[in-house]
PDB file of all heavy atoms in Angstrom:
ATOM      1  N   GLY D 308      14.404  36.043  18.216  1.00 89.00           N
ATOM      2  CA  GLY D 308      15.632  35.634  18.886  1.00 89.00           C
ATOM      3  C   GLY D 308      15.445  34.404  19.756  1.00 89.00           C
ATOM      4  O   GLY D 308      14.601  33.556  19.484  1.00 89.00           O
ATOM      5  N   LEU D 309      16.256  34.348  20.822  1.00 93.00           N
ATOM      6  CA  LEU D 309      16.233  33.185  21.696  1.00 93.00           C
ATOM      7  C   LEU D 309      15.618  33.582  23.038  1.00 93.00           C
ATOM      8  O   LEU D 309      16.000  34.572  23.641  1.00 93.00           O
ATOM      9  CB  LEU D 309      17.669  32.685  21.898  1.00 93.00           C
ATOM     10  CG  LEU D 309      17.888  31.463  22.774  1.00 93.00           C
ATOM     11  CD1 LEU D 309      19.149  30.728  22.333  1.00 93.00           C
ATOM     12  CD2 LEU D 309      18.004  31.793  24.261  1.00 93.00           C
ATOM     13  N   HIS D 310      14.638  32.801  23.484  1.00 94.00           N
ATOM     14  CA  HIS D 310      14.001  33.065  24.778  1.00 94.00           C
ATOM     15  C   HIS D 310      14.325  31.913  25.717  1.00 94.00           C
ATOM     16  O   HIS D 310      13.900  30.788  25.491  1.00 94.00           O
ATOM     17  CB  HIS D 310      12.478  33.199  24.579  1.00 94.00           C
ATOM     18  CG  HIS D 310      11.698  33.349  25.864  1.00 94.00           C
ATOM     19  ND1 HIS D 310      10.329  33.419  25.878  1.00 94.00           N
ATOM     20  CD2 HIS D 310      12.088  33.458  27.157  1.00 94.00           C
ATOM     21  CE1 HIS D 310       9.903  33.554  27.134  1.00 94.00           C
ATOM     22  NE2 HIS D 310      10.954  33.567  27.922  1.00 94.00           N
ATOM     23  N   ALA D 311      15.112  32.227  26.735  1.00 96.00           N
ATOM     24  CA  ALA D 311      15.449  31.199  27.730  1.00 96.00           C
ATOM     25  C   ALA D 311      14.720  31.499  29.027  1.00 96.00           C
ATOM     26  O   ALA D 311      14.620  32.654  29.438  1.00 96.00           O
ATOM     27  CB  ALA D 311      16.948  31.187  27.987  1.00 96.00           C
ATOM     28  N   ARG D 312      14.200  30.431  29.641  1.00 96.00           N
ATOM     29  CA  ARG D 312      13.615  30.576  30.973  1.00 96.00           C
ATOM     30  C   ARG D 312      14.549  29.852  31.927  1.00 96.00           C
ATOM     31  O   ARG D 312      14.843  28.668  31.744  1.00 96.00           O
ATOM     32  CB  ARG D 312      12.241  29.922  30.984  1.00 96.00           C
ATOM     33  CG  ARG D 312      11.422  30.237  32.208  1.00 96.00           C
ATOM     34  CD  ARG D 312      10.047  29.651  32.072  1.00 96.00           C
ATOM     35  NE  ARG D 312      10.070  28.230  32.388  1.00 96.00           N
ATOM     36  CZ  ARG D 312       9.308  27.312  31.794  1.00 96.00           C
ATOM     37  NH1 ARG D 312       8.498  27.637  30.822  1.00 96.00           N
ATOM     38  NH2 ARG D 312       9.380  26.064  32.176  1.00 96.00           N
ATOM     39  N   ILE D 313      15.039  30.582  32.918  1.00 97.00           N
ATOM     40  CA  ILE D 313      16.048  30.012  33.807  1.00 97.00           C
ATOM     41  C   ILE D 313      15.496  29.988  35.224  1.00 97.00           C
ATOM     42  O   ILE D 313      15.080  31.015  35.756  1.00 97.00           O
ATOM     43  CB  ILE D 313      17.338  30.869  33.761  1.00 97.00           C
ATOM     44  CG1 ILE D 313      17.769  31.026  32.303  1.00 97.00           C
ATOM     45  CG2 ILE D 313      18.450  30.246  34.592  1.00 97.00           C
ATOM     46  CD1 ILE D 313      18.688  32.188  32.067  1.00 97.00           C
ATOM     47  N   HIS D 314      15.451  28.808  35.811  1.00 97.00           N
ATOM     48  CA  HIS D 314      14.948  28.647  37.189  1.00 97.00           C
ATOM     49  C   HIS D 314      16.147  28.531  38.117  1.00 97.00           C
ATOM     50  O   HIS D 314      17.042  27.715  37.882  1.00 97.00           O
ATOM     51  CB  HIS D 314      14.081  27.398  37.291  1.00 97.00           C
ATOM     52  CG  HIS D 314      12.837  27.472  36.455  1.00 97.00           C
ATOM     53  ND1 HIS D 314      11.594  27.682  36.984  1.00 97.00           N
ATOM     54  CD2 HIS D 314      12.658  27.392  35.113  1.00 97.00           C
ATOM     55  CE1 HIS D 314      10.687  27.713  36.015  1.00 97.00           C
ATOM     56  NE2 HIS D 314      11.312  27.533  34.868  1.00 97.00           N
ATOM     57  N   LEU D 315      16.153  29.341  39.164  1.00 98.00           N
ATOM     58  CA  LEU D 315      17.303  29.418  40.065  1.00 98.00           C
ATOM     59  C   LEU D 315      16.833  29.405  41.509  1.00 98.00           C
ATOM     60  O   LEU D 315      15.633  29.418  41.770  1.00 98.00           O
ATOM     61  CB  LEU D 315      18.038  30.750  39.829  1.00 98.00           C
ATOM     62  CG  LEU D 315      18.631  30.987  38.445  1.00 98.00           C
ATOM     63  CD1 LEU D 315      18.809  32.472  38.211  1.00 98.00           C
ATOM     64  CD2 LEU D 315      19.969  30.279  38.325  1.00 98.00           C
ATOM     65  N   LEU D 316      17.801  29.445  42.426  1.00 98.00           N
ATOM     66  CA  LEU D 316      17.459  29.756  43.805  1.00 98.00           C
ATOM     67  C   LEU D 316      17.487  31.278  43.930  1.00 98.00           C
ATOM     68  O   LEU D 316      18.290  31.941  43.250  1.00 98.00           O
ATOM     69  CB  LEU D 316      18.474  29.121  44.760  1.00 98.00           C
ATOM     70  CG  LEU D 316      18.501  27.589  44.735  1.00 98.00           C
ATOM     71  CD1 LEU D 316      19.544  27.052  45.714  1.00 98.00           C
ATOM     72  CD2 LEU D 316      17.123  27.023  45.048  1.00 98.00           C
ATOM     73  N   PRO D 317      16.644  31.841  44.778  1.00 97.00           N
ATOM     74  CA  PRO D 317      16.576  33.310  44.849  1.00 97.00           C
ATOM     75  C   PRO D 317      17.951  33.949  45.058  1.00 97.00           C
ATOM     76  O   PRO D 317      18.256  34.993  44.459  1.00 97.00           O
ATOM     77  CB  PRO D 317      15.661  33.564  46.049  1.00 97.00           C
ATOM     78  CG  PRO D 317      14.821  32.335  46.163  1.00 97.00           C
ATOM     79  CD  PRO D 317      15.658  31.197  45.663  1.00 97.00           C
ATOM     80  N   GLY D 318      18.788  33.327  45.877  1.00 96.00           N
ATOM     81  CA  GLY D 318      20.079  33.909  46.193  1.00 96.00           C
ATOM     82  C   GLY D 318      21.007  34.050  44.993  1.00 96.00           C
ATOM     83  O   GLY D 318      21.954  34.840  45.028  1.00 96.00           O
ATOM     84  N   ALA D 319      20.751  33.274  43.939  1.00 96.00           N
ATOM     85  CA  ALA D 319      21.643  33.320  42.776  1.00 96.00           C
ATOM     86  C   ALA D 319      21.153  34.302  41.714  1.00 96.00           C
ATOM     87  O   ALA D 319      21.835  34.539  40.703  1.00 96.00           O
ATOM     88  CB  ALA D 319      21.750  31.916  42.166  1.00 96.00           C
ATOM     89  N   LEU D 320      19.982  34.885  41.946  1.00 97.00           N
ATOM     90  CA  LEU D 320      19.356  35.673  40.880  1.00 97.00           C
ATOM     91  C   LEU D 320      20.180  36.877  40.433  1.00 97.00           C
ATOM     92  O   LEU D 320      20.410  37.075  39.233  1.00 97.00           O
ATOM     93  CB  LEU D 320      18.002  36.195  41.364  1.00 97.00           C
ATOM     94  CG  LEU D 320      16.776  35.354  41.098  1.00 97.00           C
ATOM     95  CD1 LEU D 320      15.565  36.066  41.666  1.00 97.00           C
ATOM     96  CD2 LEU D 320      16.591  35.107  39.607  1.00 97.00           C
ATOM     97  N   ALA D 321      20.595  37.683  41.405  1.00 96.00           N
ATOM     98  CA  ALA D 321      21.215  38.963  41.048  1.00 96.00           C
ATOM     99  C   ALA D 321      22.438  38.739  40.159  1.00 96.00           C
ATOM    100  O   ALA D 321      22.596  39.387  39.119  1.00 96.00           O
ATOM    101  CB  ALA D 321      21.585  39.739  42.304  1.00 96.00           C
ATOM    102  N   GLY D 322      23.277  37.797  40.576  1.00 96.00           N
ATOM    103  CA  GLY D 322      24.501  37.544  39.814  1.00 96.00           C
ATOM    104  C   GLY D 322      24.210  37.077  38.397  1.00 96.00           C
ATOM    105  O   GLY D 322      24.797  37.565  37.430  1.00 96.00           O
ATOM    106  N   VAL D 323      23.289  36.141  38.285  1.00 97.00           N
ATOM    107  CA  VAL D 323      22.970  35.598  36.960  1.00 97.00           C
ATOM    108  C   VAL D 323      22.325  36.676  36.082  1.00 97.00           C
ATOM    109  O   VAL D 323      22.680  36.853  34.909  1.00 97.00           O
ATOM    110  CB  VAL D 323      22.041  34.367  37.088  1.00 97.00           C
ATOM    111  CG1 VAL D 323      21.444  33.975  35.745  1.00 97.00           C
ATOM    112  CG2 VAL D 323      22.800  33.192  37.697  1.00 97.00           C
ATOM    113  N   ALA D 324      21.403  37.434  36.672  1.00 96.00           N
ATOM    114  CA  ALA D 324      20.704  38.449  35.881  1.00 96.00           C
ATOM    115  C   ALA D 324      21.686  39.504  35.373  1.00 96.00           C
ATOM    116  O   ALA D 324      21.606  39.949  34.224  1.00 96.00           O
ATOM    117  CB  ALA D 324      19.605  39.098  36.718  1.00 96.00           C
ATOM    118  N   ARG D 325      22.624  39.883  36.231  1.00 94.00           N
ATOM    119  CA  ARG D 325      23.593  40.893  35.796  1.00 94.00           C
ATOM    120  C   ARG D 325      24.413  40.363  34.608  1.00 94.00           C
ATOM    121  O   ARG D 325      24.644  41.057  33.630  1.00 94.00           O
ATOM    122  CB  ARG D 325      24.516  41.267  36.955  1.00 94.00           C
ATOM    123  CG  ARG D 325      25.432  42.397  36.529  1.00 94.00           C
ATOM    124  CD  ARG D 325      26.488  42.808  37.495  1.00 94.00           C
ATOM    125  NE  ARG D 325      26.557  42.038  38.710  1.00 94.00           N
ATOM    126  CZ  ARG D 325      26.840  42.576  39.893  1.00 94.00           C
ATOM    127  NH1 ARG D 325      27.028  43.869  39.999  1.00 94.00           N
ATOM    128  NH2 ARG D 325      26.957  41.820  40.951  1.00 94.00           N
ATOM    129  N   ARG D 326      24.824  39.116  34.729  1.00 94.00           N
ATOM    130  CA  ARG D 326      25.628  38.529  33.642  1.00 94.00           C
ATOM    131  C   ARG D 326      24.838  38.490  32.335  1.00 94.00           C
ATOM    132  O   ARG D 326      25.353  38.787  31.261  1.00 94.00           O
ATOM    133  CB  ARG D 326      25.975  37.080  33.995  1.00 94.00           C
ATOM    134  CG  ARG D 326      27.421  36.921  34.384  1.00 94.00           C
ATOM    135  CD  ARG D 326      27.677  35.513  34.774  1.00 94.00           C
ATOM    136  NE  ARG D 326      28.463  34.802  33.774  1.00 94.00           N
ATOM    137  CZ  ARG D 326      28.750  33.500  33.867  1.00 94.00           C
ATOM    138  NH1 ARG D 326      28.268  32.788  34.870  1.00 94.00           N
ATOM    139  NH2 ARG D 326      29.493  32.923  32.943  1.00 94.00           N
ATOM    140  N   LEU D 327      23.591  38.092  32.429  1.00 95.00           N
ATOM    141  CA  LEU D 327      22.772  37.976  31.224  1.00 95.00           C
ATOM    142  C   LEU D 327      22.542  39.350  30.601  1.00 95.00           C
ATOM    143  O   LEU D 327      22.561  39.523  29.388  1.00 95.00           O
ATOM    144  CB  LEU D 327      21.420  37.330  31.562  1.00 95.00           C
ATOM    145  CG  LEU D 327      21.481  35.881  32.048  1.00 95.00           C
ATOM    146  CD1 LEU D 327      20.131  35.425  32.589  1.00 95.00           C
ATOM    147  CD2 LEU D 327      21.921  34.944  30.909  1.00 95.00           C
ATOM    148  N   ARG D 328      22.338  40.338  31.471  1.00 93.00           N
ATOM    149  CA  ARG D 328      22.068  41.677  30.952  1.00 93.00           C
ATOM    150  C   ARG D 328      23.300  42.215  30.231  1.00 93.00           C
ATOM    151  O   ARG D 328      23.198  42.806  29.150  1.00 93.00           O
ATOM    152  CB  ARG D 328      21.677  42.588  32.120  1.00 93.00           C
ATOM    153  CG  ARG D 328      21.070  43.893  31.654  1.00 93.00           C
ATOM    154  CD  ARG D 328      20.743  44.776  32.833  1.00 93.00           C
ATOM    155  NE  ARG D 328      19.975  45.933  32.410  1.00 93.00           N
ATOM    156  CZ  ARG D 328      19.804  47.014  33.147  1.00 93.00           C
ATOM    157  NH1 ARG D 328      20.338  47.081  34.353  1.00 93.00           N
ATOM    158  NH2 ARG D 328      19.093  48.027  32.692  1.00 93.00           N
ATOM    159  N   GLU D 329      24.456  41.993  30.853  1.00 91.00           N
ATOM    160  CA  GLU D 329      25.693  42.456  30.212  1.00 91.00           C
ATOM    161  C   GLU D 329      25.889  41.796  28.852  1.00 91.00           C
ATOM    162  O   GLU D 329      26.465  42.361  27.940  1.00 91.00           O
ATOM    163  CB  GLU D 329      26.898  42.161  31.112  1.00 91.00           C
ATOM    164  CG  GLU D 329      27.048  43.184  32.225  1.00 91.00           C
ATOM    165  CD  GLU D 329      27.972  42.713  33.352  1.00 91.00           C
ATOM    166  OE1 GLU D 329      28.654  41.667  33.177  1.00 91.00           O
ATOM    167  OE2 GLU D 329      27.977  43.381  34.388  1.00 91.00           O
ATOM    168  N   ARG D 330      25.383  40.570  28.748  1.00 91.00           N
ATOM    169  CA  ARG D 330      25.524  39.839  27.492  1.00 91.00           C
ATOM    170  C   ARG D 330      24.487  40.282  26.451  1.00 91.00           C
ATOM    171  O   ARG D 330      24.412  39.761  25.366  1.00 91.00           O
ATOM    172  CB  ARG D 330      25.365  38.340  27.776  1.00 91.00           C
ATOM    173  CG  ARG D 330      25.607  37.444  26.615  1.00 91.00           C
ATOM    174  CD  ARG D 330      27.039  37.602  26.112  1.00 91.00           C
ATOM    175  NE  ARG D 330      27.236  36.747  24.968  1.00 91.00           N
ATOM    176  CZ  ARG D 330      27.984  35.658  24.974  1.00 91.00           C
ATOM    177  NH1 ARG D 330      28.615  35.305  26.067  1.00 91.00           N
ATOM    178  NH2 ARG D 330      28.103  34.941  23.886  1.00 91.00           N
ATOM    179  N   GLY D 331      23.627  41.236  26.848  1.00 92.00           N
ATOM    180  CA  GLY D 331      22.690  41.785  25.863  1.00 92.00           C
ATOM    181  C   GLY D 331      21.266  41.268  25.992  1.00 92.00           C
ATOM    182  O   GLY D 331      20.470  41.400  25.064  1.00 92.00           O
ATOM    183  N   ALA D 332      20.918  40.699  27.147  1.00 94.00           N
ATOM    184  CA  ALA D 332      19.565  40.147  27.286  1.00 94.00           C
ATOM    185  C   ALA D 332      18.562  41.211  27.710  1.00 94.00           C
ATOM    186  O   ALA D 332      18.881  42.108  28.481  1.00 94.00           O
ATOM    187  CB  ALA D 332      19.572  39.029  28.325  1.00 94.00           C
ATOM    188  N   HIS D 333      17.349  41.072  27.176  1.00 95.00           N
ATOM    189  CA  HIS D 333      16.193  41.788  27.710  1.00 95.00           C
ATOM    190  C   HIS D 333      15.634  40.881  28.800  1.00 95.00           C
ATOM    191  O   HIS D 333      15.436  39.689  28.554  1.00 95.00           O
ATOM    192  CB  HIS D 333      15.119  41.984  26.634  1.00 95.00           C
ATOM    193  CG  HIS D 333      15.620  42.728  25.437  1.00 95.00           C
ATOM    194  ND1 HIS D 333      15.284  44.029  25.193  1.00 95.00           N
ATOM    195  CD2 HIS D 333      16.436  42.341  24.425  1.00 95.00           C
ATOM    196  CE1 HIS D 333      15.874  44.428  24.071  1.00 95.00           C
ATOM    197  NE2 HIS D 333      16.583  43.417  23.586  1.00 95.00           N
ATOM    198  N   LEU D 334      15.351  41.421  29.984  1.00 97.00           N
ATOM    199  CA  LEU D 334      15.031  40.542  31.112  1.00 97.00           C
ATOM    200  C   LEU D 334      13.683  40.843  31.767  1.00 97.00           C
ATOM    201  O   LEU D 334      13.297  42.000  31.919  1.00 97.00           O
ATOM    202  CB  LEU D 334      16.102  40.691  32.205  1.00 97.00           C
ATOM    203  CG  LEU D 334      17.518  40.254  31.860  1.00 97.00           C
ATOM    204  CD1 LEU D 334      18.460  40.619  33.000  1.00 97.00           C
ATOM    205  CD2 LEU D 334      17.568  38.749  31.618  1.00 97.00           C
ATOM    206  N   VAL D 335      13.023  39.755  32.149  1.00 97.00           N
ATOM    207  CA  VAL D 335      11.915  39.831  33.097  1.00 97.00           C
ATOM    208  C   VAL D 335      12.268  38.822  34.184  1.00 97.00           C
ATOM    209  O   VAL D 335      12.491  37.649  33.891  1.00 97.00           O
ATOM    210  CB  VAL D 335      10.572  39.433  32.446  1.00 97.00           C
ATOM    211  CG1 VAL D 335       9.449  39.488  33.484  1.00 97.00           C
ATOM    212  CG2 VAL D 335      10.251  40.314  31.258  1.00 97.00           C
ATOM    213  N   VAL D 336      12.351  39.286  35.424  1.00 98.00           N
ATOM    214  CA  VAL D 336      12.827  38.424  36.505  1.00 98.00           C
ATOM    215  C   VAL D 336      11.787  38.357  37.613  1.00 98.00           C
ATOM    216  O   VAL D 336      11.307  39.394  38.086  1.00 98.00           O
ATOM    217  CB  VAL D 336      14.147  38.990  37.098  1.00 98.00           C
ATOM    218  CG1 VAL D 336      14.662  38.070  38.197  1.00 98.00           C
ATOM    219  CG2 VAL D 336      15.184  39.175  36.015  1.00 98.00           C
ATOM    220  N   TYR D 337      11.418  37.141  38.011  1.00 98.00           N
ATOM    221  CA  TYR D 337      10.530  36.960  39.164  1.00 98.00           C
ATOM    222  C   TYR D 337      11.368  36.427  40.317  1.00 98.00           C
ATOM    223  O   TYR D 337      12.058  35.410  40.167  1.00 98.00           O
ATOM    224  CB  TYR D 337       9.410  35.969  38.824  1.00 98.00           C
ATOM    225  CG  TYR D 337       8.574  36.422  37.634  1.00 98.00           C
ATOM    226  CD1 TYR D 337       8.506  35.672  36.461  1.00 98.00           C
ATOM    227  CD2 TYR D 337       7.881  37.625  37.697  1.00 98.00           C
ATOM    228  CE1 TYR D 337       7.753  36.095  35.375  1.00 98.00           C
ATOM    229  CE2 TYR D 337       7.120  38.066  36.617  1.00 98.00           C
ATOM    230  CZ  TYR D 337       7.060  37.295  35.456  1.00 98.00           C
ATOM    231  OH  TYR D 337       6.328  37.730  34.389  1.00 98.00           O
ATOM    232  N   PRO D 338      11.321  37.103  41.474  1.00 98.00           N
ATOM    233  CA  PRO D 338      12.258  36.723  42.545  1.00 98.00           C
ATOM    234  C   PRO D 338      11.919  35.427  43.273  1.00 98.00           C
ATOM    235  O   PRO D 338      12.817  34.732  43.727  1.00 98.00           O
ATOM    236  CB  PRO D 338      12.212  37.908  43.509  1.00 98.00           C
ATOM    237  CG  PRO D 338      11.070  38.754  43.104  1.00 98.00           C
ATOM    238  CD  PRO D 338      10.603  38.358  41.745  1.00 98.00           C
ATOM    239  N   GLU D 339      10.621  35.094  43.430  1.00 95.00           N
ATOM    240  CA  GLU D 339      10.309  33.843  44.141  1.00 95.00           C
ATOM    241  C   GLU D 339       8.915  33.361  43.752  1.00 95.00           C
ATOM    242  O   GLU D 339       7.959  34.097  43.977  1.00 95.00           O
ATOM    243  CB  GLU D 339      10.377  34.068  45.666  1.00 95.00           C
ATOM    244  CG  GLU D 339      10.517  32.756  46.418  1.00 95.00           C
ATOM    245  CD  GLU D 339      10.869  32.965  47.892  1.00 95.00           C
ATOM    246  OE1 GLU D 339      10.193  33.765  48.541  1.00 95.00           O
ATOM    247  OE2 GLU D 339      11.821  32.336  48.353  1.00 95.00           O
ATOM    248  N   PRO D 340       8.773  32.177  43.169  1.00 95.00           N
ATOM    249  CA  PRO D 340       9.863  31.302  42.752  1.00 95.00           C
ATOM    250  C   PRO D 340      10.753  32.024  41.734  1.00 95.00           C
ATOM    251  O   PRO D 340      10.259  32.754  40.887  1.00 95.00           O
ATOM    252  CB  PRO D 340       9.161  30.113  42.104  1.00 95.00           C
ATOM    253  CG  PRO D 340       7.711  30.407  42.103  1.00 95.00           C
ATOM    254  CD  PRO D 340       7.445  31.665  42.811  1.00 95.00           C
ATOM    255  N   ALA D 341      12.067  31.797  41.871  1.00 97.00           N
ATOM    256  CA  ALA D 341      13.039  32.587  41.124  1.00 97.00           C
ATOM    257  C   ALA D 341      13.133  32.129  39.671  1.00 97.00           C
ATOM    258  O   ALA D 341      13.582  31.016  39.402  1.00 97.00           O
ATOM    259  CB  ALA D 341      14.397  32.462  41.806  1.00 97.00           C
ATOM    260  N   VAL D 342      12.669  32.978  38.773  1.00 98.00           N
ATOM    261  CA  VAL D 342      12.659  32.645  37.352  1.00 98.00           C
ATOM    262  C   VAL D 342      13.136  33.859  36.555  1.00 98.00           C
ATOM    263  O   VAL D 342      12.680  34.974  36.802  1.00 98.00           O
ATOM    264  CB  VAL D 342      11.232  32.285  36.867  1.00 98.00           C
ATOM    265  CG1 VAL D 342      11.257  31.848  35.411  1.00 98.00           C
ATOM    266  CG2 VAL D 342      10.600  31.214  37.736  1.00 98.00           C
ATOM    267  N   VAL D 343      14.030  33.626  35.620  1.00 98.00           N
ATOM    268  CA  VAL D 343      14.482  34.689  34.726  1.00 98.00           C
ATOM    269  C   VAL D 343      13.998  34.370  33.325  1.00 98.00           C
ATOM    270  O   VAL D 343      14.223  33.260  32.827  1.00 98.00           O
ATOM    271  CB  VAL D 343      16.029  34.752  34.689  1.00 98.00           C
ATOM    272  CG1 VAL D 343      16.491  35.855  33.752  1.00 98.00           C
ATOM    273  CG2 VAL D 343      16.589  34.949  36.078  1.00 98.00           C
ATOM    274  N   HIS D 344      13.322  35.311  32.700  1.00 97.00           N
ATOM    275  CA  HIS D 344      13.032  35.193  31.271  1.00 97.00           C
ATOM    276  C   HIS D 344      14.012  36.107  30.556  1.00 97.00           C
ATOM    277  O   HIS D 344      14.045  37.311  30.823  1.00 97.00           O
ATOM    278  CB  HIS D 344      11.604  35.643  30.963  1.00 97.00           C
ATOM    279  CG  HIS D 344      10.579  34.676  31.459  1.00 97.00           C
ATOM    280  ND1 HIS D 344      10.099  33.650  30.686  1.00 97.00           N
ATOM    281  CD2 HIS D 344       9.962  34.571  32.659  1.00 97.00           C
ATOM    282  CE1 HIS D 344       9.223  32.951  31.390  1.00 97.00           C
ATOM    283  NE2 HIS D 344       9.117  33.489  32.590  1.00 97.00           N
ATOM    284  N   ALA D 345      14.816  35.542  29.678  1.00 97.00           N
ATOM    285  CA  ALA D 345      15.842  36.335  28.992  1.00 97.00           C
ATOM    286  C   ALA D 345      15.670  36.196  27.487  1.00 97.00           C
ATOM    287  O   ALA D 345      15.527  35.076  26.989  1.00 97.00           O
ATOM    288  CB  ALA D 345      17.224  35.850  29.408  1.00 97.00           C
ATOM    289  N   ARG D 346      15.653  37.336  26.803  1.00 95.00           N
ATOM    290  CA  ARG D 346      15.609  37.280  25.334  1.00 95.00           C
ATOM    291  C   ARG D 346      16.907  37.825  24.769  1.00 95.00           C
ATOM    292  O   ARG D 346      17.363  38.896  25.172  1.00 95.00           O
ATOM    293  CB  ARG D 346      14.446  38.098  24.788  1.00 95.00           C
ATOM    294  CG  ARG D 346      14.412  38.106  23.257  1.00 95.00           C
ATOM    295  CD  ARG D 346      13.125  38.685  22.739  1.00 95.00           C
ATOM    296  NE  ARG D 346      13.047  40.125  22.901  1.00 95.00           N
ATOM    297  CZ  ARG D 346      13.584  41.009  22.060  1.00 95.00           C
ATOM    298  NH1 ARG D 346      14.268  40.607  21.012  1.00 95.00           N
ATOM    299  NH2 ARG D 346      13.432  42.295  22.291  1.00 95.00           N
TER     300      ARG D 346
END
Side-chain angles (χ1 to χ4, degrees):
Chain D
L309 180 152
H310 175 183
R312 191 175 80 215
I313 307 160
H314 296 255
L315 298 158
L316 296 180
L320 269 180
V323 167
R325 185 185 3 217
R326 253 177 108 184
L327 295 170
R328 193 182 189 196
E329 280 164 10
R330 185 61 181 251
H333 302 254
L334 296 174
V335 178
V336 182
Y337 301 118
E339 199 168 50
V342 184
V343 180
H344 288 269
R346 178 169 73 83

